[in-house]
Amino acid sequence: MSVAVLLIAHGSRRSAANHDLVLLADEIRRIGRYSIIEVSYLELTEPTIDQGGRSCVAAGATEVFMMPYFLSAGVHVVEDLQKHRSQLAEEFPNTQFQLCPPLGLHPLMAEIVLARLEEGQQAAVE
């Protein structure tokens, strides 16, 4: 079984904001836990979620973990991403598509927020 990760962000008109997801994908590739890693965006830019899912399948994935790079389970995660998951599963019945939880209230989130607060305090001093 070949496992893929499909990272999904909202998408922005600012290319620099979209590029953050590409950098995250590069870092996950560097770690080497998954052989297939694709990026995709819900709206405003490409590749779309459907395009990203198709790329995973074209690369040989038989299981795709759809990872929402979202902070909470709002409408996009609960409804929109589930719709895309269902469409991809219908298009590729021999591939499993699993929608993962968003970043949300993961235990490490407090550490990330505290680190960013410290960065803000350092910037205020400088």
Side-chain angles (χ1 to χ4, degrees), residues 42-43 49 74-87 99:
L42 178 63
E43 56 190 24
I49 296 168
V75 170
H76 285 319
V77 172
V78 174
E79 296 177 14
D80 298 339
L81 298 188
Q82 184 59 43
K83 180 186 79 173
H84 285 282
R85 192 211 64 78
S86 295
Q87 289 171 343
L99 185 57

Side-chain angles (χ1 to χ4, degrees), residues 2 9 20 24 29 33 51 65 68 74 89-90 92 95 101 119 126:
S2 184
D20 283 350
L24 176 63
R29 274 188 204 96
R33 193 171 297 164
Q51 290 168 334
F65 288 98
E90 186 175 317
F92 300 102
T95 303
E119 289 173 19
E126 296 171 357

